[in-house]
Amino acid sequence: MTDITKQAISPSRSLVSQEAIQVFYRLLAALLICAVLAVLSDSFLSLGNILNVLRQASLTFFIASGLTLVVLTAGLDLSVGANVALSACLAGTVIHQTGSPLLGIVTALVVGGAVGLLNGVMVTALRIPSFIATYGMLWVLNGLTYWYMAGDTIHGFPAGFRQIGSGYLFGLPIPVYLLLVFLGIGTLFAQRTIWGQEIYAIGANPVAARLSGIPVTRRLLLVYAVSGTMAGLASIIFLSRLNSAEADIGESLTLPAIAAVLIGGTSLFGGVGTVFGTFVGALILTLVLNGMNLLSVSANWQPLVTGVIVILAVWLDMKTRRRTQ
């Protein structure tokens, strides 16, 4: 590794301790929310509710983990929810027509990854801002999914396939085990590999990263492809969990995924954040939504609360960034 490459990467490493402190404070916030909900609701600490919180947090995390890498490069992927819907509907069709869950899983991962890669091509080759490119892709995917499904619903999948999203192993939901696996892989990739450090460097200073010899275009294609692939994985979990696929399955998934990333401390300006922080963000968001359900808060208020939390997270990010500068 050349000296100039080390200089491009070094800013992210100098912020590791600050990120650890931010994650620590967010864990304290999660514990505080748990304490408040335990006082306000008798059913919050029940085993069934705790397992439900972990399962819901894992579903949000699968989408948000890939999105974290995109945000680390100062980009954004608004198409993840629509990607989940298209991947789930195509995977459901393959499973129904072939009887093979494995082919369905491969289909979802390939479709999700291809959509993500196409997003990356629009951002790098066509130089379209990620917000615009992925917002346009959102509408394209929605149109394709609604045209393909034509108002139909695909339901009724093999019992073995349904275990992925609904089954238990040693008392824990299987999605929680998948969460732990991908949390470990994502953390090691971002924090312990050269590719991960180069992604931080691109987000911190793309010009310096390019001048230092980092293959910026290839790394951006990688993060968008990973984000799409994780959306494809999430579609399998949802398909298995719901035992059905509809065109609108992904409409409510994008905002919580973005919220989990921002609440977890990943900066919209790039270069700062961790996959583990995103897990904590998904947990906090799920706890808040679960608490509102337990306290019988109207569903109409839940998007409002989520939006307020996102605004607060972005405000804290900007305030922290100004203080650091």
Side-chain angles (χ1 to χ4, degrees), residues 170-187:
F170 303 118
L172 282 178
I174 289 177
V176 176
Y177 290 100
L178 295 175
L179 179 151
L180 295 175
V181 170
F182 283 95
L183 177 60
I185 293 174
T187 300

Side-chain angles (χ1 to χ4, degrees), residues 32-314:
L32 178 61
I33 294 172
C34 289
V36 171
L37 292 177
V39 172
L40 296 178
S41 172
D42 295 334
S43 57
F44 174 73
L45 291 179
S46 66
L47 178 60
N49 186 61
I50 291 174
L51 293 180
N52 182 52
V53 167
L54 291 175
R55 188 200 304 272
Q56 293 300 323
S58 67
L59 295 175
T60 301
F61 172 78
F62 290 130
I63 305 174
S65 60
L67 184 59
T68 301
L69 299 182
V70 175
V71 178
L72 281 174
T73 65
L76 195 59
D77 186 353
L78 296 175
S79 68
V80 286
N83 195 350
V84 169
L86 180 63
S87 299
C89 291
L90 293 178
T93 300
V94 170
I95 294 174
H96 257 230
Q97 293 186 350
T98 66
S100 171
L102 179 59
L103 284 179
I105 293 171
V106 172
T107 298
L109 296 179
V110 170
V111 171
V115 170
L117 187 60
L118 187 56
N119 282 333
V121 170
M122 288 192 292
V123 171
T124 57
L126 303 182
R127 298 188 181 281
I128 301 174
S130 61
F131 177 87
I132 303 299
T134 58
Y135 186 63
M137 180 61 76
L138 181 157
W139 288 101
V140 169
L141 296 179
N142 277 342
L144 286 174
T145 307
Y146 276 92
W147 167 79
Y148 177 73
M149 295 300 290
D152 291 338
T153 299
I154 304 172
H155 58 82
F157 298 106
F161 176 72
R162 295 204 59 204
Q163 290 296 309
I164 298 174
S166 305
Y168 288 80
L169 184 64
F170 303 118
L172 282 178
I174 289 177
V176 176
Y177 290 100
L178 295 175
L179 179 151
L180 295 175
V181 170
F182 283 95
L183 177 60
I185 293 174
T187 300
L188 288 176
F189 174 77
Q191 305 291 333
R192 300 296 181 187
T193 68
I194 293 297
W195 285 15
Q197 292 300 296
E198 289 176 348
I199 289 171
Y200 277 95
I202 292 170
N205 192 330
V207 175
R210 194 180 301 277
L211 292 175
S212 70
I214 293 175
V216 174
T217 298
R218 279 184 285 172
R219 294 297 173 267
L220 288 177
L221 290 174
L222 172 68
V223 298
Y224 282 96
V226 169
S227 177
T229 303
M230 291 305 295
L233 173 65
S235 75
I236 291 299
I237 307 297
F238 276 98
L239 198 62
S240 172
R241 173 70 176 160
L242 300 175
N243 196 26
S244 66
E246 299 178 3
D248 62 351
I249 191 175
E251 289 185 352
S252 61
L253 302 179
T254 301
L255 179 58
I258 295 174
V261 174
L262 299 181
I263 295 170
T266 300
S267 173
L268 273 176
F269 301 98
V272 177
T274 62
V275 175
F276 185 78
T278 296
F279 160 68
V280 178
L283 187 61
I284 290 175
L285 183 64
T286 305
L287 285 170
V288 171
L289 296 176
N290 178 257
M292 286 192 289
N293 287 330
L294 292 177
L295 299 176
S296 300
V297 176
S298 170
N300 296 330
W301 287 97
Q302 295 188 12
L304 185 150
V305 173
T306 303
V308 170
I309 293 175
V310 170
I311 291 172
L312 286 175
V314 172

